[in-house]
């Protein structure tokens, strides 16, 4: 009897222990995602204001030293940045990955003797899959593609923000401008992969759960860059990227869409009215994304010749090949990752 009672108590304690561990892991996942969302939304502005405040205090010398360093280091983001394997391997990114969860699927090998431009689709609200897969080691990008250095390209304006710029560079993030991309693809050897979220801010305005559409028809600059450097194009599609936030979609011609397009044109990003779940409950609204699976599939590389001054006809030709490859990638894997066989990728 006593043995039976003891066993029952031990079993109950073990159940309690595992329950507690599960709860702790869930909280760590929430914290890891929350810190990234806040980084995405406010870190740049917050660090700028804090630096300005410190300049007006007795600790002004610290801010002055950082500003002097900033001037000296200003062009580093354009020259491949300053990645840190330590930062990319932080345990926090594994909790970030497991919150959704996020997976990276490899379909073909990549040669280290070539350079690559990955076209990432769709943008989503924050590009969560792009960040987790290519700016951290949480999903094992370096193991899946040995010898390949991924560089996630984002708005150049982020690299004018103190502290934020250094944080972004530590993950291997670079400005999405010609100077930065030219440097990586021509002066940094081979085995480089620049990840460009092709649809950009325009695509983010249309992302909503249940919709699979990409802004691509008139996005040809990345193809021209690939031709100029002889960098192979790789289509990448992230199933679930549009599922993690709900957004108010303004119709074309409405005042809301007009405001969004003005911001996009003059500042580089489009303000979206969106929401996820609350911090303490999934039944309330908040800034945390919904924990929906995101599966990023890296497709087959398209061999691109090096043409110093490609004609529009050549750009159009390789762009059409890229679009076809992306659609084939989507069609091949859609049913495997929860979409009906009849689902069609909308290319705008």
């Amino acid at each position: 009897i006593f043995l039976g009672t003891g066993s029952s108590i031990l079993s109950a304690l073990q159940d309690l222990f595992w329950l507690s561990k599960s709860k702790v892991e869930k909280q760590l996942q929430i914290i890891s995602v929350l810190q990234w969302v806040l980084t995405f939304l406010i870190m740049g502005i917050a660090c700028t204001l804090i630096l300005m405040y410190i300049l007006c205090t007795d600790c002004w010398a610290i801010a002055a030293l950082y500003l002097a360093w900033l001037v000296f280091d200003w062009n580093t983001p354009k020259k491949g940045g300053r990645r840190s394997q330590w930062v990319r391997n932080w345990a926090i990114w594994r909790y970030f990955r497991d919150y959704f969860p996020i997976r990276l699927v490899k379909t073909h090998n990549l040669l280290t003797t070539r350079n690559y431009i990955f076209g990432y689709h769709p943008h989503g609200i924050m590009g969560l899959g792009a960040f987790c897969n290519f700016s951290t080691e949480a999903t094992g990008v370096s193991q899946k593609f040995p010898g390949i250095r991924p560089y996630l390209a984002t708005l150049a304006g982020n690299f004018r923000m103190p502290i934020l710029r250094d944080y972004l560079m530590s993950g291997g993030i670079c400005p999405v401008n010609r100077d930065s991309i030219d440097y990586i693809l021509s002066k940094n050897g081979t085995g480089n992969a620049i990840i460009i979220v092709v649809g950009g801010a325009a695509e983010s305005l249309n992302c909503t759960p249940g919709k699979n559409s990409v802004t691509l028809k008139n996005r040809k600059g990345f193809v021209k860059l690939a031709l100029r450097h002889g960098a192979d194009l790789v289509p990448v599609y992230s199933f679930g990227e549009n599922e993690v936030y709900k957004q108010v979609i303004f119709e074309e011609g409405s005042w809301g869409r007009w405001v969004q397009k003005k911001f996009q044109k003059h500042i580089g990003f489009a303000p979206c009215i969106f929401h996820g779940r609350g911090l303490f409950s999934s039944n309330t609204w908040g800034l945390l994304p919904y924990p929906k699976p995101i599966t990023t599939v890296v497709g087959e590389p398209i061999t691109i010749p090096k043409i110093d001054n490609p004609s529009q006809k050549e750009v159009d030709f390789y762009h059409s090949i890229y679009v076809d490859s992306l659609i084939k990638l989507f069609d091949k894997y859609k049913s495997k990752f929860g979409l009906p066989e009849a689902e069609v990728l909308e290319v705008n």
Side-chain angles (χ1 to χ4, degrees):
I1 296 171
F2 290 112
L3 281 173
T5 304
S7 299
S8 299
I9 293 171
L10 183 61
S11 177
L13 287 173
Q14 285 177 335
D15 289 343
L16 185 63
F17 170 76
W18 286 113
L19 183 65
S20 298
K21 183 180 179 183
S22 174
K23 284 184 176 180
V24 168
E25 286 190 347
K26 189 62 183 175
Q27 293 307 312
L28 287 172
Q29 290 169 13
I30 289 172
I31 291 167
S32 69
V33 174
L34 180 63
Q35 69 83 28
W36 190 85
V37 169
L38 293 177
T39 295
F40 183 91
L41 295 174
I42 66 170
M43 184 177 178
I45 294 171
C47 288
T48 302
L49 293 174
I50 291 169
L51 198 66
M52 291 171 64
Y53 171 75
I54 293 174
L55 278 171
C56 301
T57 68
D58 293 339
C59 298
W60 63 269
I62 296 172
L65 281 171
Y66 179 80
L67 288 172
W69 160 253
L70 194 62
V71 172
F72 174 78
D73 196 54
W74 191 253
N75 288 323
T76 299
K78 299 177 184 176
K79 296 180 178 179
R82 187 170 47 246
R83 75 175 55 219
S84 165
Q85 286 303 115
W86 176 65
V87 173
R88 287 175 60 89
N89 280 288
W90 277 353
I92 194 171
W93 306 132
R94 295 193 288 278
Y95 289 112
F96 182 99
R97 171 200 66 198
D98 293 339
Y99 173 85
F100 297 93
I102 296 173
R103 288 178 56 210
L104 180 65
V105 176
K106 170 187 175 180
T107 63
H108 291 78
N109 291 324
L110 298 181
L111 300 174
T112 57
T113 54
R114 301 286 291 172
N115 283 325
Y116 300 90
I117 293 180
F118 287 19
Y120 183 92
H121 315 269
H123 183 287
I125 295 290
M126 297 185 184
L128 293 158
F131 171 78
C132 185
N133 285 308
F134 302 113
S135 295
T136 81
E137 293 296 331
T139 56
V141 64
S142 292
Q143 285 74 45
K144 287 183 169 73
F145 301 102
I148 301 296
R149 291 180 299 277
Y151 293 87
L152 177 60
T154 188
L155 290 175
N158 289 323
F159 295 89
R160 301 187 190 105
M161 302 282 192
I163 310 299
L164 175 63
R165 67 189 291 276
D166 301 289
Y167 190 36
L168 294 177
M169 282 194 290
S170 68
I173 301 177
C174 69
V176 63
N177 58 31
R178 183 168 169 174
D179 288 345
S180 176
I181 293 171
D182 282 349
Y183 183 90
I184 292 169
L185 295 179
S186 64
K187 298 178 181 177
N188 203 40
T190 59
N192 303 292
I194 298 178
I195 297 88
I196 299 176
V197 186
V198 178
E203 191 172 83
S204 69
L205 298 178
N206 295 315
C207 71
T208 187
K211 188 172 183 179
N212 287 282
S213 67
V214 297
T215 302
L216 183 56
K217 277 184 181 176
N218 297 314
R219 300 294 175 108
K220 299 180 180 180
F222 73 107
V223 178
K224 191 172 185 178
L225 279 168
L227 285 164
R228 287 180 57 243
H229 293 285
D232 293 348
L233 288 171
V234 182
V236 179
Y237 197 85
S238 233
F239 295 91
E241 186 72 64
N242 285 347
E243 306 299 315
V244 296
Y245 280 111
K246 295 178 181 177
Q247 179 182 192
V248 177
I249 305 290
F250 293 101
E251 296 296 326
E252 288 293 337
S254 66
W255 67 269
R257 183 53 65 101
W258 180 84
V259 169
Q260 288 176 322
K261 286 188 173 180
K262 286 294 180 183
F263 264 85
Q264 180 190 334
K265 181 179 178 181
H266 297 292
I267 302 178
F269 73 93
C272 301
I273 299 177
F274 66 92
H275 73 84
R277 53 156 289 182
L279 181 59
F280 301 108
S281 170
S282 58
N283 297 320
T284 57
W285 288 10
L287 289 175
L288 278 176
Y290 292 104
K292 304 285 187 179
I294 298 174
T295 306
T296 303
V297 184
V298 180
E300 183 178 3
I302 303 163
T303 303
I304 301 293
K306 189 176 187 303
I307 304 173
D308 291 334
N309 293 297
S311 65
Q312 190 59 49
K313 186 177 180 180
E314 289 167 326
V315 172
D316 290 344
F317 174 72
Y318 284 100
H319 181 268
S320 67
I321 292 175
Y322 178 86
V323 173
D324 289 343
S325 295
L326 179 65
I327 293 171
K328 287 176 183 175
L329 180 71
F330 178 83
D331 288 342
K332 183 176 180 179
Y333 289 93
K334 61 187 177 184
S335 59
K336 188 175 181 181
F337 300 120
L339 297 178
E341 194 61 41
E343 185 73 20
V344 175
L345 179 62
E346 182 184 325
V347 180
N348 301 312

